[in-house]
Amino acid sequence: MPNKEPISSSGTILSGMRPTGQLHLGNYFGALQNWVDLQDSYKCIYTIVDIHALTTIETPEDIANIRPNIYEMALDWLAAGIDPNLSTIFIQSHIPEVMTLNTLLSMVTPLGWLMRVPTFKEKVRQMEHTEESVNYGLVGYPILQTADIILYKADTVPVGQDQLPHLELAREIVRRFNSRFGETFPEPQAKLTKVPLIVGLDGQQKMSKSLDNHIDLASTEEVTTKRILTAFTDPQRTTRDTPGRPNVCNVYSLHNIFTNESDLTTINQECTSANRGCVDCKRQLAQNLNSYLGPMRERRNDLSKRPDDIKDILSEGAKTARQLAQATIEEVYDKMGLS
Ligand code: TRP
Ligand code: SF4
């Protein structure tokens, strides 16, 4: 057998997550698992975007949560397999150059571009603000995101569908910058992540923390089981004797990820012939999920006993990132006629 060729790629990946604290299954299958895989074929840079988190903080509690949320998320990243020997991981605000670049990029970004971004309109609505009363930082969110990417001259950005407008805007900003000041940045390409849709325990909406329909990666086995037992199933299956429809059942869609083929076939048959109760079905899912997450949870436990190591990893990452950032800012100053 010939040796497996290492997949070589000159590309640099950059992606970021807002520090939301402990991650859930939706975050894992929607992004993190893919980030881990990409480490084999790209130079990867992953950042915890705490400045972006500030665009929506409103209460003292929000502020108090940022630091612990960063720490909890970093633990989940590392436990899931983000490897500091392969990737650069750091906290956005540790690289002040990103704010310099943000300001400079804002000189080539029309306000109209920013206000047309669908996520902006959505956030304004969610926050019960108007476009006039919302803070300036929120309008500029995509500029800061562009700065995140191009400060390190990354060319590939793994994101979900919802982030495509931001990436398109980043490309437009780069095109404008390059045409006005000379070829400086690569146009970043979105790399769409193919992911199964992880529906929340309510069976209605995408899994999300704010809807409280999520399962945290780091939960205990007991909590995981308890939460799965609350999950909605086929709404038409009102009694044990009513046959169920696995294809509309949220529990079954999770079985699809965590349960082996032959058990899946059995579940399907037993459900559609009313020979299986939903509670047993959920217990089986909980067991499979717990064994899937077991190794990750063990790593997380070990890491959580060494908080200083987490700090070191993040500050080493910042050191590496900062060197790249400083070189870029020097070049940008020069191109823009600053000295
Ligand atoms: N806006 C992204 C999100 O909400 C987070 C983010 C910030 C990001 N900077 C980034 C993603 C740079 C990719 C690249 O999910
Ligand atoms: Fe869903 Fe399982 Fe109940 Fe069928 S038996 S409806 S697959 S939870």
Side-chain angles (χ1 to χ4, degrees), residues 78-120:
L78 295 166
I82 301 290
D83 180 349
N85 295 313
L86 297 173
S87 302
T88 303
I89 49 178
F90 63 93
I91 300 171
Q92 183 186 36
S93 66
H94 287 186
I95 317 294
E97 285 80 4
V98 78
M99 293 181 262
T100 307
L101 187 57
N102 176 61
T103 301
L104 297 175
L105 294 178
S106 75
M107 309 306 166
V108 296
T109 313
L111 188 55
W113 288 4
L114 297 170
M115 296 186 59
R116 273 197 299 275
V117 175
T119 43
F120 172 65

Side-chain angles (χ1 to χ4, degrees), residues 276-295:
R276 147 178 297 254
C278 290
V279 173
D280 288 339
C281 194
K282 289 173 180 179
R283 286 200 182 278
Q284 186 181 357
L285 172 65
Q287 213 169 48
N288 293 350
L289 179 56
N290 281 329
S291 47
Y292 184 93
L293 293 175

Side-chain angles (χ1 to χ4, degrees), residues 14-18 49 52 141 145 148-149 157 159 163 166:
L14 184 134
S15 205
M17 272 188 214
R18 275 170 294 158
V49 293
H52 276 112
Y141 186 112
Q145 181 163 349
D148 282 333
I149 299 164
V157 185
V159 285
Q163 290 292 311
H166 285 164

Side-chain angles (χ1 to χ4, degrees), residues 19 40 45 55 62 72 99 105 116 122 129 144 175 197 209 221 270 291 299 309 312 321 325:
D40 294 333
I45 307 176
T55 59
D62 292 339
E72 293 297 325
M99 293 181 262
L105 294 178
R116 273 197 299 275
E122 207 177 288
H129 266 281
L144 183 59
R175 283 198 285 270
L197 174 69
K209 203 179 195 117
E221 298 199 348
E270 292 182 350
S291 47
R299 273 197 297 276
D309 288 359
D312 286 349

Side-chain angles (χ1 to χ4, degrees), residues 43-47 74 78 83-92 94-95 152 307-326:
K43 176 182 163 205
C44 294
I45 307 176
Y46 297 127
T47 174
L78 295 166
D83 180 349
N85 295 313
L86 297 173
S87 302
T88 303
I89 49 178
F90 63 93
I91 300 171
Q92 183 186 36
H94 287 186
I95 317 294
Y152 312 102
D308 287 345
D309 288 359
I310 313 286
K311 270 201 185 139
D312 286 349
I313 288 168
L314 292 170
S315 68
E316 273 307 307
K319 226 192 261 170
T320 307
R322 196 147 190 215
Q323 277 171 0
L324 299 170
Q326 282 171 341

Side-chain angles (χ1 to χ4, degrees), residues 231-235 237 242-253 255 267-268 270-272 274-282 284-285:
F232 280 75
T233 62
D234 175 0
R237 194 168 190 215
T242 318
R245 300 168 301 168
N247 60 327
V248 298
C249 173
N250 176 38
V251 170
Y252 188 78
S253 74
H255 268 300
I267 294 169
N268 221 307
E270 292 182 350
C271 173
T272 50
N275 282 311
R276 147 178 297 254
C278 290
V279 173
D280 288 339
C281 194
K282 289 173 180 179
Q284 186 181 357
L285 172 65

